[in-house]
Amino acid sequence: MTARTEQQPQMSVEEFEELERHAPETVWLEFINGKVVVKPMADGNHREMIAWLQRVCMQHRPDLWLHAESGLKTESYRKGRARADGVLVSVGGLKGDGEWSEANSTLMAVEITSYDSDTNRRDRVEKPDGYAAAGIPVYLLIDRDECAVVVFNQPEDGRYRHEEKLPFGATVKLPEPVNITLDTEPLKEFAD
């Protein structure tokens, strides 16, 4: 007798978007690698880090804007849906977009780790792959567990070819097309 494995039906992007539209406002959903993922709500330090990064970006590049909690079409063939903690685009770059923006106008995606069991897989593995596959030039990960900033760039074949990890307090150069230098000393204040 042979064992039979039943395959679970895959949810389509359209089905996910319908589910997400009807989710309560207190729940943020993402669709990563064909799976529905519940994204934790941001805590105060998380929100302060995004606000800090918004100020820095505005000071250095007034032609750009960092939008917080922005939905992106990610992964190959835009089959994923990620709600990035931050999306850096030209001013007006999201005009006319719906809940889930195409990634082609995104210069940088930003994630800040959460204190939950899925943060390693989601923020350090799946999100870099999804953002690289979507062609986002720079992915900035603010890793609160490691007290470090990780800059991913040079997307090619669904992966970032370059990754640089620096501790909070270091000077971090965000490469082209972002071209901003961050003094990450203020992040130490928000590390838990």
Side-chain angles (χ1 to χ4, degrees), residues 7 18 20 22 25 28 31 41 51 66 74 76 80 84 102-103 116 130 141 144 147-148 166 170 175-176:
Q7 291 213 323
E18 182 67 20
E20 200 275 336
H22 296 289
E25 290 180 15
W28 287 342
F31 192 56
M41 298 300 274
L66 183 73
T74 60
S76 58
E102 294 290 340
D116 66 89
L141 174 63
R144 298 193 294 174
C147 292
L166 297 163
E176 292 291 338

Side-chain angles (χ1 to χ4, degrees), residues 2 5 20 38 44 65 90 105 124 130 144 158-159 184 186:
T2 59
T5 58
E20 200 275 336
V38 177
W65 184 251
S90 295
S105 64
R124 297 182 187 108
R144 298 193 294 174
R159 301 258 190 239
T184 64

Side-chain angles (χ1 to χ4, degrees), residues 3 8 24 28 41 57 59 61 67 73 83 85 88 97 99-100 118 127-128 145 152 162 164 170 176:
Q8 297 287 43
W28 287 342
M41 298 300 274
C57 289
Q59 290 169 347
R61 295 287 309 269
H67 294 269
K73 295 179 182 179
R83 189 166 305 283
D85 291 329
L88 187 70
D97 286 357
E99 180 68 20
W100 303 100
D118 289 339
K127 293 261 181 114
D145 294 324
F152 298 83
H162 185 259
E164 182 178 22
E176 292 291 338

Side-chain angles (χ1 to χ4, degrees), residues 21-168:
R21 271 192 292 277
H22 296 289
E25 290 180 15
T26 56
V27 176
W28 287 342
L29 300 178
E30 297 179 299
F31 192 56
I32 300 174
N33 288 333
K35 296 177 293 200
V36 176
V37 178
V38 177
K39 182 173 180 166
M41 298 300 274
D43 61 29
N45 286 352
H46 188 283
R47 291 188 302 272
E48 287 293 331
M49 288 175 161
I50 282 292
W52 165 80
L53 189 56
Q54 284 174 320
R55 281 191 307 276
V56 171
C57 289
M58 193 178 351
Q59 290 169 347
H60 288 81
R61 295 287 309 269
D63 58 318
L64 304 177
W65 184 251
L66 183 73
H67 294 269
E69 298 302 334
S70 192
L72 281 175
K73 295 179 182 179
T74 60
E75 300 176 23
S76 58
Y77 308 111
R78 309 301 190 258
K79 291 186 177 181
R81 299 292 182 268
R83 189 166 305 283
D85 291 329
V87 172
L88 187 70
V89 297
S90 295
V91 171
L94 299 181
K95 186 176 181 180
D97 286 357
E99 180 68 20
W100 303 100
S101 299
E102 294 290 340
N104 56 356
S105 64
T106 302
L107 305 177
M108 178 174 72
V110 178
E111 295 291 346
I112 299 171
T113 58
S114 301
Y115 297 117
D116 66 89
S117 61
D118 289 339
T119 200
N120 183 59
R121 178 182 46 80
R122 185 182 57 249
D123 294 336
R124 297 182 187 108
V125 178
E126 293 175 340
K127 293 261 181 114
D129 290 350
Y131 293 151
I136 297 173
V138 178
Y139 169 46
L140 175 64
L141 174 63
I142 299 175
D143 193 327
R144 298 193 294 174
D145 294 324
E146 302 284 328
C147 292
V149 174
V150 186
V151 179
F152 298 83
N153 67 315
Q154 301 175 13
E156 185 176 294
D157 298 327
R159 301 258 190 239
Y160 285 107
R161 289 184 21 217
H162 185 259
E163 175 183 333
E164 182 178 22
K165 182 177 181 179
L166 297 163
F168 285 179

